Amino acid sequence: MGTGAGKGLNFGNTNGSQQNHADYILKELPKSSPIKIPPTATVKEETKNGYDQVKYTWEHGDYSYTSRWHTRTPNAPKDQGDSWVVQRDKNGIGYGKNARPAVHEVLVGKNKWVSMKEWRLAIKARKNGVATKEQKEMLDNGHWEDK
């Protein structure tokens, strides 16, 4: 795997050891992803506003995939801990007989994908306290618990 590992984020009980941390990011953490992460995936660690995340990206067929592990985010439900979110994207073709729109989707169940637009609307609704039961379920199902 390509890596940005070793920035020193301290999770996975790596106790600050750079080598243990890199091994954890490259070898152990991917095992808990809801979708298989190939060893050729690119790895990027990021410290965001109030949470840490590790992104694994790769291509398969016409899609590019991102399996993103993150610590609990600000404004997430209190019972939501560290979790995975899996996204896939497919470039659109603007014209011609094979024209098609771009596809951006989030995994919310076994082989069940929802559009990124629907996903973002549900996140906005939850932040505003107006999410429907279906939106809450979709967000819960799309945040895969860290095993």
Side-chain angles (χ1 to χ4, degrees):
M1 281 186 200
T3 181
K7 282 188 177 178
L9 302 179
N10 192 20
F11 46 80
N13 297 318
T14 58
N15 298 320
S17 164
Q18 292 296 323
Q19 186 57 47
N20 288 347
H21 180 77
D23 285 346
Y24 179 76
I25 296 301
L26 296 173
K27 297 175 185 169
E28 295 305 315
L29 187 58
K31 292 177 185 175
S32 65
S33 171
I35 190 170
K36 183 170 175 37
I37 297 173
T40 55
T42 299
V43 182
K44 183 176 182 183
E45 288 185 61
E46 300 173 307
T47 299
K48 297 292 198 173
N49 190 13
Y51 65 99
D52 294 326
Q53 77 175 11
V54 182
K55 287 175 26 176
Y56 300 85
T57 57
W58 68 97
E59 294 191 7
H60 182 73
D62 290 340
Y63 287 93
S64 61
Y65 289 84
T66 301
S67 191
R68 180 173 61 89
W69 175 91
H70 62 79
T71 56
R72 185 181 176 277
T73 58
N75 302 318
K78 300 230 181 294
D79 61 341
Q80 184 177 311
D82 300 346
S83 61
W84 289 91
V85 175
V86 179
Q87 179 180 340
R88 71 179 181 182
D89 302 289
K90 183 175 175 179
N91 290 331
I93 298 173
Y95 59 90
K97 66 178 183 167
N98 295 322
R100 67 169 187 248
V103 175
H104 307 285
E105 300 173 313
V106 176
L107 183 65
V108 295
K110 186 174 181 177
N111 297 316
K112 182 176 180 188
W113 299 86
V114 297
S115 74
M116 182 59 74
K117 180 179 179 181
E118 190 176 348
W119 179 257
R120 288 190 177 135
L121 286 171
I123 289 173
K124 184 177 179 181
R126 180 160 68 187
K127 282 182 182 176
N128 293 329
V130 295
T132 65
K133 179 181 178 228
E134 291 79 14
Q135 286 175 317
K136 290 176 186 176
E137 286 176 1
M138 179 182 61
L139 291 172
D140 288 346
N141 292 338
H143 283 91
W144 301 77
E145 282 187 32
D146 186 14
K147 300 174 194 170

